[in-house]
Each structure stands twice: as structure tokens, then as C-alpha cells.
Amino acid sequence: MPKPVTKAVFPVGGLGTRFLPATKAMPKEMLPVVDKPLIQYVVDEAVKAGIEELIFVTGKGKTAIEDYLDQAPELEAMLEGRGKEDLLAALRDSVPAGVTIAYTRQPEPLGLGHAVWCARKLVGDEPFAVLLADDLIKSDVPCLKQMIDAYSEVGGNMLAIMEVPREDTRRYGVVKPLDSTGGDNTGGEPGDLFRVDGIVEKPDPAEAPSNLAVVGRYILQPEIFGFLEGQRKGAGGEVQLTDAIATLMDRQELRGLRFEGTRYDCGSKLGYMKANVAFGLEHADTGAGLRDFIKTLDL
Ligand code: UTP
């Protein structure tokens, strides 16, 4: 039985430059999709997957995230007084009782790998999950739960994988899958777990080992911290988590899971707008009105 995953790291130290000027005075992770900030969606996903300790790696200008996750007794009292039970429940459910929160700081945004490394003392000698709030995943079973269910059978390290158009490989970490015959496979159908034989960050389409891209959900063993230690800057001049995973892979098993669900890249303007439409169409307050509005558009 693999050691259970009870801790999750949320790296929220990035600058969010693609969302400037909005992110000049507001963390990207606080941008709302319909009525909840991005960070709430990944917290919900982690909690539904059985995570008990949430570890946030924050940075300069990110205090709104801490304020958001704090309890708000005055606001709760006001809502209670006005009989706004549904809003009160949403507020209270934001972090359920029994789930703990810890914060650490990334002194400078040196990259995702560096942000994860900053959490090493809080994670300790345990397997852990990493969730990126800007990858919003809409699925029947939360993506991290799909991964933890598979992990509980096989252990090791695991990446969430989705197929992307080949011309887009430059925007992702891309894996080389290994099948039992030693040849390439495509990663199969959603729900399929496969061994990873190589990983490269942001390859040119011509050099990409496949079109299977890593999205922001990981299960990692604590040995990753040793490989992140003193890691040199990689693609884009940042300390890349992918590079440390590539080294870890030589010593430990690494698998990809083609999860069931749709991922929205809320770190980009278009992905964020698509997420608002997809979630807005399903929201009780906005679904019907948004559908009617879309029908009136002269597209
Ligand atoms: P991105 O690659 O989207 O970078 O980070 P970014 O700085 O947030 O945004 P852009 O590209 O400037 O618009 C992916 C995830 O890694 C975190 C981000 O907060 C985001 O959740 N991250 C990135 C850190 O925590 N620290 C870093 O140094 C870099």
C-alpha cells in the first residue's frame, strides 16, 4: 500500500503577467469564475480528494489569498442576521473544519520548481500533491481524486495528462509515453494510466516526443526536493519543476493519467473566458440568462 497523500501544495507566487493590468493589484488566483475565485476551485478539488493539509506558497502582493481563506466572523454574523443562509453556507464551506492551512513564502518568483521547493519543510518526508489554480478542471470526479485513486493502487509519481494539438506543445511540459511493448503509445483513453519514459518542458512541435501535455496536477514523492535543490534555471529562465521530474524519473516510477474532464487554462485570457462561459452555463443563477444572451449574439 503506498503511503497516502494528505498534503497538497498550491504554488501561488507567480506574477500573472498575462493578466496585467488586472494582476497589478490583485493575485491571478483571486480572479473569479462566475462567483468563486480560482483558488477556491482547487481547494474544493483537493478537499474532495481527501487532502487534509493545504500548503500555500505565496509571494509579494498575494495577501488577498490569505484574507480570502481566513474566517470572516463579522460577515458571517451579518449574513446570519439577514437570513442569507445559502451565502453563509458557501462562506463557511470555503475550507471545511478539520482541514488545516499553512503558508510559506517564495521570496522571488524564480519559477514553479522553486515555488514547490519552498514548501519542502512543510511537506516533510511524505508524498504530496501539487495543484495549480490557473488550471481549472471541470469533471464529474475531481481530477486529483482520479489521480489519488489510481495512485493508491500503483504509488510512485504521477502527472495529469491531456492531449493537445501538436502546434501547442511549446506551451506545456510534454511526456514520452512508454507502453509494455517498449514502443510509443498515445496514452490511450481518458482514465488510462501509462508509464512515462521522458519529459521535456515547452518543446518545439517538431521535437516534441508526443502531444501528451502535463497539466497542473501532480503527485510527487518527497525525493523531488533533493532534485530541486540547486536546480539550474531551465526554459524561460525559470527553475522548472519538469526538469527535476525528468531527473527523478531515472530513480523512481513516473506515470501519467489521462484524466476524464475538461481543463481551462485560466492563466490565459481566452481560457479564463471559456471557463466563465462553461461554468456560467451550469450555474443556477446565470445558466438560463447566459444561454439566452449567447443566442442573441450575431456570430
Ligand atoms: P505560470 O507559468 O502561469 O506563471 O505559473 P505566472 O507568473 O503565474 O503567470 P504569467 O505567465 O506571468 O502570466 C504557473 C503556476 O505556478 C505558480 C503560479 O502562481 C501559477 O500557479 N508560480 C509560478 C509560482 O508559484 N512561482 C513562480 O515563481 C512561478
Side-chain angles (χ1 to χ4, degrees):
M1 238 325 238
K3 215 168 167 183
V5 181
T6 60
K7 296 183 177 181
V9 173
F10 301 86
V12 292
L15 295 174
T17 53
R18 284 170 291 166
F19 261 106
L20 281 170
T23 45
K24 185 179 168 206
M26 176 193 191
K28 159 173 82 172
E29 298 79 7
M30 287 302 296
L31 290 169
V33 168
V34 190
D35 54 3
K36 286 195 293 189
L38 286 170
I39 196 73
Q40 183 69 60
Y41 287 91
V42 269
V43 165
D44 289 348
E45 183 180 328
V47 168
K48 284 186 191 145
I51 296 296
E52 293 163 7
E53 187 168 340
L54 316 176
I55 300 168
F56 292 87
V57 182
T58 71
K60 196 170 177 298
K62 299 283 178 160
T63 47
I65 297 175
E66 290 163 58
D67 292 342
Y68 172 78
L69 293 167
D70 262 353
Q71 293 191 337
E74 285 158 20
L75 187 55
E76 285 182 21
M78 186 273 284
L79 292 173
E80 203 162 11
R82 293 187 185 177
K84 305 261 185 196
E85 296 302 329
D86 47 345
L87 291 177
L88 190 60
L91 216 61
R92 285 193 175 139
D93 288 349
S94 120
V95 181
V99 174
T100 59
I101 302 184
Y103 295 98
T104 189
R105 223 166 153 82
Q106 184 185 24
E108 268 182 275
L110 298 178
L112 175 60
H114 180 256
V116 171
W117 181 76
C118 289
R120 69 201 178 284
K121 293 203 173 117
L122 290 169
V123 170
D125 192 24
E126 287 186 37
F128 63 103
V130 177
L131 295 98
L132 306 187
D134 39 12
D135 275 338
L136 177 53
I137 299 174
K138 194 163 177 296
S139 56
D140 293 337
V141 178
C143 179
L144 187 64
K145 175 145 179 33
Q146 297 177 41
M147 293 173 75
I148 288 185
D149 286 350
Y151 166 87
S152 65
E153 307 269 326
V154 296
N157 299 275
M158 199 179 289
L159 311 168
I161 298 289
M162 71 175 196
E163 221 172 301
V164 297
R166 201 159 249 280
E167 59 271 22
D168 290 348
T169 56
R170 235 183 244 106
R171 291 169 33 207
Y172 299 92
V174 175
V175 298
K176 179 175 191 298
L178 178 81
D179 72 13
S180 51
T181 60
D184 282 354
N185 66 19
T186 60
E189 297 299 313
D192 271 6
L193 195 61
F194 61 92
R195 296 250 186 164
V196 173
D197 195 32
I199 179 167
V200 45
E201 185 65 25
K202 302 190 169 62
D204 272 349
E207 282 149 31
S210 73
N211 65 341
L212 296 173
V214 179
V215 305
R217 304 289 184 274
Y218 309 76
I219 295 175
L220 297 170
Q221 298 296 322
E223 286 75 19
I224 190 78
F225 294 121
F227 298 112
L228 285 167
E229 185 93 44
Q231 177 95 41
R232 301 242 295 274
K233 288 179 183 171
E238 296 197 332
V239 178
Q240 296 289 352
L241 183 58
T242 304
D243 295 344
I245 293 174
T247 317
L248 176 82
M249 221 185 67
D250 293 338
R251 328 260 164 106
Q252 293 186 351
E253 288 183 348
L254 176 66
R255 291 183 176 82
L257 176 74
R258 272 198 64 185
F259 60 93
E260 170 279 314
T262 307
R263 170 262 194 183
Y264 296 93
D265 175 11
C266 291
S268 78
K269 290 185 255 291
L270 182 59
Y272 175 71
M273 285 176 195
K274 287 181 183 173
N276 268 291
V277 173
F279 282 78
L281 283 170
E282 287 199 352
H283 195 287
D285 294 349
T286 56
L290 184 57
R291 190 163 284 111
D292 289 347
F293 170 68
I294 290 170
K295 281 187 204 145
T296 67
L297 295 177
D298 187 19
L299 298 172

